[in-house]
Amino acid sequence: MKHVNCGTYREMSRQAAGCVAELLREKPEALLCFAAGTTPMGLFEELIQMQARAEVDMTRAWFAGLDEWVGLGPADAGSCIQVMFDSFYTPAGIPRDHIHVFDGMAADMTRECRVMEKWIADHGGIELTVLGIGMNGHIGFNEPGVPETRGCVVVDLDEVTKAISVKYFGKQIPVHQGVSIGMDLLSSAPEVILLADGVKKAPIVAATLSGPVTCRVPSSLLQKHPRAVLLTDADAAGLLPNLD
Ligand code: PGA
């Protein structure tokens, strides 16, 4: 995995947007997978502005939703589906039938997983994924300790994830499980972009890049990926042994 210290959050978001745009110029109908969360918001804004300037066309691309809180749906503020539609899919004008997301309220989560796996396969596999890194190193809801399972996974949420969930919902709500595209499917994407900013992410960035490769830190599993790039601001790069 390569690391690029972009200096600022804005520049990190710009560089990520540049990578997405470059891919879509070559492959306008590629299948992409973007994380929700706070970190990619600057990327979404950049991409939407670039599209308004006709520098990228995202409307022919396909989008697989990375994850969802089990039990939450579009009416729940802070659910991944609500965040992604409001912050990205709708303002970017992505046709509804180009988007497939987990239904966190479905009665049968195993079925949700199989349907997502088939949808991804039917659309040629994920070409590029943009991921955040949780404070505990989770990727989507691939929580610490979750093995590199095949396909999509339903997992019990880590205590760190449950505690941090308050920032998305504005209050503590009972969340126990998540459904996520699994590490093997994410790792099979030819291009993987990880984003992390802020001093609070510095320890997990260091563990991701220079710690042991272990499922206890799921983001470290991407060290093995030949084309993964971790874009950070200067603060998140602060604990790396060799600053670039
Ligand atoms: P964040 O979340 O972007 O809100 O920091 C990252 C994650 O938990 O995957």
Side-chain angles (χ1 to χ4, degrees):
M1 183 176 357
K2 187 176 136 191
H3 169 240
V4 181
N5 179 352
C6 305
T8 64
Y9 176 75
R10 180 97 199 268
E11 186 53 28
M12 178 193 87
S13 304
R14 275 192 185 149
Q15 290 203 25
C19 296
V20 173
E22 198 179 308
L23 175 83
L24 289 180
R25 275 180 217 117
E26 263 179 53
K27 298 182 181 176
E29 294 175 14
L31 171 56
L32 310 180
C33 175
F34 290 171
T38 315
T39 313
M41 291 298 145
L43 160 69
F44 298 160
E45 281 168 26
E46 287 292 333
L47 283 172
I48 291 161
Q49 286 167 18
M50 285 174 77
Q51 186 163 257
R53 297 193 298 264
E55 292 167 12
V56 65
D57 176 11
M58 297 181 283
T59 62
R60 291 168 62 196
W62 301 85
F63 291 88
L66 174 63
D67 55 3
E68 187 56 276
W69 307 90
V70 170
L72 301 193
D76 296 299
S79 64
C80 298
I81 186 171
Q82 181 269 324
V83 168
M84 288 305 295
F85 272 86
D86 283 11
S87 316
F88 182 67
Y89 299 138
T90 303
I94 311 300
R96 183 63 186 87
D97 63 347
H98 279 221
I99 302 162
H100 185 74
V101 292
F102 291 111
D103 176 359
M105 301 182 78
D108 185 347
M109 276 301 144
T110 305
R111 184 173 177 280
E112 282 299 295
C113 289
R114 301 297 87 81
V115 171
M116 176 64 88
E117 288 159 10
K118 182 172 184 321
W119 193 86
I120 289 172
D122 288 349
H123 291 81
I126 299 169
E127 197 73 44
L128 178 151
T129 180
V130 183
L131 305 165
I133 308 178
M135 295 292 287
N136 55 5
H138 78 184
I139 295 288
F141 283 132
N142 293 278
E143 297 284 47
V146 169
E148 275 188 272
T149 39
R150 303 197 75 75
C152 298
V153 285
V154 181
V155 293
D156 292 337
L157 296 175
D158 186 69
E159 291 307 319
V160 173
T161 302
K162 286 186 198 170
I164 285 173
S165 70
V166 176
K167 86 169 178 173
Y168 304 115
F169 308 128
K171 57 183 175 184
Q172 190 79 59
I173 62 169
V175 280
H176 303 291
Q177 287 192 312
V179 57
S180 183
I181 297 177
M183 287 307 293
D184 69 317
L185 268 182
L186 296 170
S187 305
S188 67
E191 286 194 55
V192 174
I193 300 172
L194 285 145
L195 301 176
D197 68 290
V199 72
K200 67 180 186 305
K201 291 281 173 79
I204 197 62
V205 162
T208 298
L209 275 170
S210 37
V213 175
T214 166
C215 64
R216 286 195 301 281
V217 182
S219 50
S220 71
L221 299 172
L222 292 164
Q223 282 180 25
K224 297 182 288 184
H225 193 287
R227 281 179 60 94
V229 58
L230 170 53
L231 305 179
T232 68
D233 67 356
D235 286 342
L239 293 177
L240 289 174
N242 297 308
L243 283 181
D244 50 6

PDB file of all heavy atoms in Angstrom, residues 35-40 67 132-136 138-140 164 167-168 200-201, ligand 1:
ATOM      1  N   ALA A  35     -17.499   4.626   0.571  1.00  0.00           N
ATOM      2  CA  ALA A  35     -17.901   4.577   1.976  1.00  0.00           C
ATOM      3  C   ALA A  35     -18.747   5.798   2.314  1.00  0.00           C
ATOM      4  O   ALA A  35     -18.572   6.872   1.735  1.00  0.00           O
ATOM      5  CB  ALA A  35     -16.658   4.570   2.859  1.00  0.00           C
ATOM      6  N   ALA A  36     -19.651   5.608   3.276  1.00  0.00           N
ATOM      7  CA  ALA A  36     -20.318   6.760   3.893  1.00  0.00           C
ATOM      8  C   ALA A  36     -19.373   7.270   4.997  1.00  0.00           C
ATOM      9  O   ALA A  36     -18.179   7.026   4.934  1.00  0.00           O
ATOM     10  CB  ALA A  36     -21.676   6.340   4.435  1.00  0.00           C
ATOM     11  N   GLY A  37     -19.870   7.950   5.980  1.00  0.00           N
ATOM     12  CA  GLY A  37     -18.991   8.448   7.047  1.00  0.00           C
ATOM     13  C   GLY A  37     -18.606   9.894   6.793  1.00  0.00           C
ATOM     14  O   GLY A  37     -18.962  10.484   5.772  1.00  0.00           O
ATOM     15  N   THR A  38     -17.869  10.442   7.719  1.00  0.00           N
ATOM     16  CA  THR A  38     -17.503  11.858   7.652  1.00  0.00           C
ATOM     17  C   THR A  38     -16.378  12.092   6.648  1.00  0.00           C
ATOM     18  O   THR A  38     -16.369  13.093   5.931  1.00  0.00           O
ATOM     19  CB  THR A  38     -17.012  12.319   9.048  1.00  0.00           C
ATOM     20  OG1 THR A  38     -17.908  11.825  10.031  1.00  0.00           O
ATOM     21  CG2 THR A  38     -16.941  13.823   9.141  1.00  0.00           C
ATOM     22  N   THR A  39     -15.427  11.178   6.600  1.00  0.00           N
ATOM     23  CA  THR A  39     -14.198  11.391   5.836  1.00  0.00           C
ATOM     24  C   THR A  39     -14.427  11.671   4.351  1.00  0.00           C
ATOM     25  O   THR A  39     -13.795  12.579   3.804  1.00  0.00           O
ATOM     26  CB  THR A  39     -13.261  10.168   6.001  1.00  0.00           C
ATOM     27  OG1 THR A  39     -13.198   9.821   7.385  1.00  0.00           O
ATOM     28  CG2 THR A  39     -11.878  10.463   5.476  1.00  0.00           C
ATOM     29  N   PRO A  40     -15.313  10.940   3.655  1.00  0.00           N
ATOM     30  CA  PRO A  40     -15.406  11.163   2.207  1.00  0.00           C
ATOM     31  C   PRO A  40     -16.255  12.358   1.788  1.00  0.00           C
ATOM     32  O   PRO A  40     -16.435  12.589   0.585  1.00  0.00           O
ATOM     33  CB  PRO A  40     -16.051   9.859   1.676  1.00  0.00           C
ATOM     34  CG  PRO A  40     -16.346   9.018   2.839  1.00  0.00           C
ATOM     35  CD  PRO A  40     -16.145   9.804   4.076  1.00  0.00           C
ATOM     36  N   ASP A  67     -21.939  -0.431   3.122  1.00  0.00           N
ATOM     37  CA  ASP A  67     -22.398  -1.048   4.378  1.00  0.00           C
ATOM     38  C   ASP A  67     -23.668  -0.382   4.876  1.00  0.00           C
ATOM     39  O   ASP A  67     -24.128   0.622   4.323  1.00  0.00           O
ATOM     40  CB  ASP A  67     -21.287  -0.986   5.434  1.00  0.00           C
ATOM     41  CG  ASP A  67     -20.766   0.428   5.690  1.00  0.00           C
ATOM     42  OD1 ASP A  67     -21.295   1.385   5.088  1.00  0.00           O
ATOM     43  OD2 ASP A  67     -19.826   0.578   6.481  1.00  0.00           O
ATOM     44  N   GLY A 132     -13.133   4.742   4.125  1.00  0.00           N
ATOM     45  CA  GLY A 132     -12.615   5.402   5.319  1.00  0.00           C
ATOM     46  C   GLY A 132     -11.982   4.339   6.217  1.00  0.00           C
ATOM     47  O   GLY A 132     -12.085   3.139   5.954  1.00  0.00           O
ATOM     48  N   ILE A 133     -11.326   4.780   7.261  1.00  0.00           N
ATOM     49  CA  ILE A 133     -10.770   3.847   8.255  1.00  0.00           C
ATOM     50  C   ILE A 133     -11.386   4.199   9.600  1.00  0.00           C
ATOM     51  O   ILE A 133     -11.307   5.354  10.038  1.00  0.00           O
ATOM     52  CB  ILE A 133      -9.229   3.966   8.383  1.00  0.00           C
ATOM     53  CG1 ILE A 133      -8.545   3.851   7.017  1.00  0.00           C
ATOM     54  CG2 ILE A 133      -8.686   2.916   9.352  1.00  0.00           C
ATOM     55  CD1 ILE A 133      -7.019   4.008   7.087  1.00  0.00           C
ATOM     56  N   GLY A 134     -12.015   3.221  10.236  1.00  0.00           N
ATOM     57  CA  GLY A 134     -12.567   3.471  11.560  1.00  0.00           C
ATOM     58  C   GLY A 134     -11.461   3.664  12.587  1.00  0.00           C
ATOM     59  O   GLY A 134     -10.309   3.270  12.361  1.00  0.00           O
ATOM     60  N   MET A 135     -11.804   4.235  13.724  1.00  0.00           N
ATOM     61  CA  MET A 135     -10.820   4.434  14.794  1.00  0.00           C
ATOM     62  C   MET A 135     -10.223   3.099  15.246  1.00  0.00           C
ATOM     63  O   MET A 135      -9.110   3.046  15.771  1.00  0.00           O
ATOM     64  CB  MET A 135     -11.491   5.116  15.993  1.00  0.00           C
ATOM     65  CG  MET A 135     -11.982   6.522  15.701  1.00  0.00           C
ATOM     66  SD  MET A 135     -10.630   7.679  15.412  1.00  0.00           S
ATOM     67  CE  MET A 135     -10.008   7.851  17.071  1.00  0.00           C
ATOM     68  N   ASN A 136     -10.968   2.018  15.046  1.00  0.00           N
ATOM     69  CA  ASN A 136     -10.493   0.676  15.408  1.00  0.00           C
ATOM     70  C   ASN A 136      -9.939  -0.075  14.198  1.00  0.00           C
ATOM     71  O   ASN A 136      -9.682  -1.273  14.289  1.00  0.00           O
ATOM     72  CB  ASN A 136     -11.649  -0.123  16.031  1.00  0.00           C
ATOM     73  CG  ASN A 136     -12.872  -0.171  15.123  1.00  0.00           C
ATOM     74  OD1 ASN A 136     -12.818   0.312  13.989  1.00  0.00           O
ATOM     75  ND2 ASN A 136     -13.956  -0.747  15.605  1.00  0.00           N
ATOM     76  N   HIS A 138     -11.566  -0.572  11.405  1.00  0.00           N
ATOM     77  CA  HIS A 138     -12.558  -1.274  10.588  1.00  0.00           C
ATOM     78  C   HIS A 138     -12.669  -0.618   9.213  1.00  0.00           C
ATOM     79  O   HIS A 138     -12.370   0.553   9.024  1.00  0.00           O
ATOM     80  CB  HIS A 138     -13.916  -1.405  11.297  1.00  0.00           C
ATOM     81  CG  HIS A 138     -14.778  -0.190  11.296  1.00  0.00           C
ATOM     82  ND1 HIS A 138     -15.983  -0.138  11.966  1.00  0.00           N
ATOM     83  CD2 HIS A 138     -14.638   1.034  10.719  1.00  0.00           C
ATOM     84  CE1 HIS A 138     -16.535   1.038  11.777  1.00  0.00           C
ATOM     85  NE2 HIS A 138     -15.744   1.775  11.041  1.00  0.00           N
ATOM     86  N   ILE A 139     -13.095  -1.466   8.271  1.00  0.00           N
ATOM     87  CA  ILE A 139     -13.303  -1.031   6.888  1.00  0.00           C
ATOM     88  C   ILE A 139     -14.739  -1.402   6.575  1.00  0.00           C
ATOM     89  O   ILE A 139     -15.084  -2.593   6.604  1.00  0.00           O
ATOM     90  CB  ILE A 139     -12.339  -1.778   5.931  1.00  0.00           C
ATOM     91  CG1 ILE A 139     -10.883  -1.427   6.217  1.00  0.00           C
ATOM     92  CG2 ILE A 139     -12.707  -1.527   4.477  1.00  0.00           C
ATOM     93  CD1 ILE A 139     -10.452  -0.031   5.810  1.00  0.00           C
ATOM     94  N   GLY A 140     -15.578  -0.422   6.278  1.00  0.00           N
ATOM     95  CA  GLY A 140     -17.007  -0.708   6.252  1.00  0.00           C
ATOM     96  C   GLY A 140     -17.349  -1.245   7.639  1.00  0.00           C
ATOM     97  O   GLY A 140     -16.921  -0.696   8.659  1.00  0.00           O
ATOM     98  N   ILE A 164     -18.819   5.285  18.789  1.00  0.00           N
ATOM     99  CA  ILE A 164     -18.630   6.359  17.813  1.00  0.00           C
ATOM    100  C   ILE A 164     -19.910   6.632  17.024  1.00  0.00           C
ATOM    101  O   ILE A 164     -20.093   7.726  16.481  1.00  0.00           O
ATOM    102  CB  ILE A 164     -17.434   6.001  16.891  1.00  0.00           C
ATOM    103  CG1 ILE A 164     -16.143   6.207  17.678  1.00  0.00           C
ATOM    104  CG2 ILE A 164     -17.418   6.841  15.616  1.00  0.00           C
ATOM    105  CD1 ILE A 164     -14.898   5.752  17.007  1.00  0.00           C
ATOM    106  N   LYS A 167     -21.910  10.000  16.804  1.00  0.00           N
ATOM    107  CA  LYS A 167     -21.581  11.167  15.957  1.00  0.00           C
ATOM    108  C   LYS A 167     -22.429  11.175  14.676  1.00  0.00           C
ATOM    109  O   LYS A 167     -22.667  12.211  14.096  1.00  0.00           O
ATOM    110  CB  LYS A 167     -20.080  11.234  15.659  1.00  0.00           C
ATOM    111  CG  LYS A 167     -19.608  10.444  14.468  1.00  0.00           C
ATOM    112  CD  LYS A 167     -18.160  10.789  14.089  1.00  0.00           C
ATOM    113  CE  LYS A 167     -17.720   9.925  12.924  1.00  0.00           C
ATOM    114  NZ  LYS A 167     -16.442  10.244  12.361  1.00  0.00           N
ATOM    115  N   TYR A 168     -22.879  10.010  14.240  1.00  0.00           N
ATOM    116  CA  TYR A 168     -23.702   9.965  13.024  1.00  0.00           C
ATOM    117  C   TYR A 168     -25.181  10.223  13.321  1.00  0.00           C
ATOM    118  O   TYR A 168     -25.893  10.789  12.509  1.00  0.00           O
ATOM    119  CB  TYR A 168     -23.575   8.600  12.323  1.00  0.00           C
ATOM    120  CG  TYR A 168     -22.157   8.230  11.990  1.00  0.00           C
ATOM    121  CD1 TYR A 168     -21.539   7.140  12.596  1.00  0.00           C
ATOM    122  CD2 TYR A 168     -21.417   8.989  11.079  1.00  0.00           C
ATOM    123  CE1 TYR A 168     -20.230   6.794  12.303  1.00  0.00           C
ATOM    124  CE2 TYR A 168     -20.104   8.658  10.786  1.00  0.00           C
ATOM    125  CZ  TYR A 168     -19.520   7.564  11.400  1.00  0.00           C
ATOM    126  OH  TYR A 168     -18.224   7.238  11.109  1.00  0.00           O
ATOM    127  N   LYS A 200      -6.765  12.521  15.288  1.00  0.00           N
ATOM    128  CA  LYS A 200      -7.343  11.340  15.961  1.00  0.00           C
ATOM    129  C   LYS A 200      -7.135  10.061  15.159  1.00  0.00           C
ATOM    130  O   LYS A 200      -7.162   8.965  15.717  1.00  0.00           O
ATOM    131  CB  LYS A 200      -8.838  11.562  16.247  1.00  0.00           C
ATOM    132  CG  LYS A 200      -9.713  11.636  15.002  1.00  0.00           C
ATOM    133  CD  LYS A 200     -11.167  11.868  15.366  1.00  0.00           C
ATOM    134  CE  LYS A 200     -12.086  11.814  14.157  1.00  0.00           C
ATOM    135  NZ  LYS A 200     -11.717  12.733  13.055  1.00  0.00           N
ATOM    136  N   LYS A 201      -6.924  10.189  13.865  1.00  0.00           N
ATOM    137  CA  LYS A 201      -6.711   8.997  13.032  1.00  0.00           C
ATOM    138  C   LYS A 201      -5.224   8.629  12.926  1.00  0.00           C
ATOM    139  O   LYS A 201      -4.891   7.600  12.334  1.00  0.00           O
ATOM    140  CB  LYS A 201      -7.292   9.210  11.625  1.00  0.00           C
ATOM    141  CG  LYS A 201      -8.821   9.284  11.556  1.00  0.00           C
ATOM    142  CD  LYS A 201      -9.480   7.920  11.602  1.00  0.00           C
ATOM    143  CE  LYS A 201     -10.988   7.973  11.695  1.00  0.00           C
ATOM    144  NZ  LYS A 201     -11.665   8.237  10.438  1.00  0.00           N
TER     145      LYS A 201
HETATM  146  P1  PGA B   1     -15.475   8.411   9.528  1.00  0.00           P
HETATM  147  O1  PGA B   1     -15.677   6.862   9.633  1.00  0.00           O
HETATM  148  O2  PGA B   1     -15.196   8.705   8.086  1.00  0.00           O
HETATM  149  O3  PGA B   1     -16.772   8.991   9.968  1.00  0.00           O
HETATM  150  O4  PGA B   1     -14.318   8.768  10.403  1.00  0.00           O
HETATM  151  C1  PGA B   1     -14.750   5.988   9.106  1.00  0.00           C
HETATM  152  C2  PGA B   1     -15.226   4.608   9.347  1.00  0.00           C
HETATM  153  O5  PGA B   1     -15.693   4.317  10.457  1.00  0.00           O
HETATM  154  O6  PGA B   1     -15.156   3.794   8.439  1.00  0.00           O
END
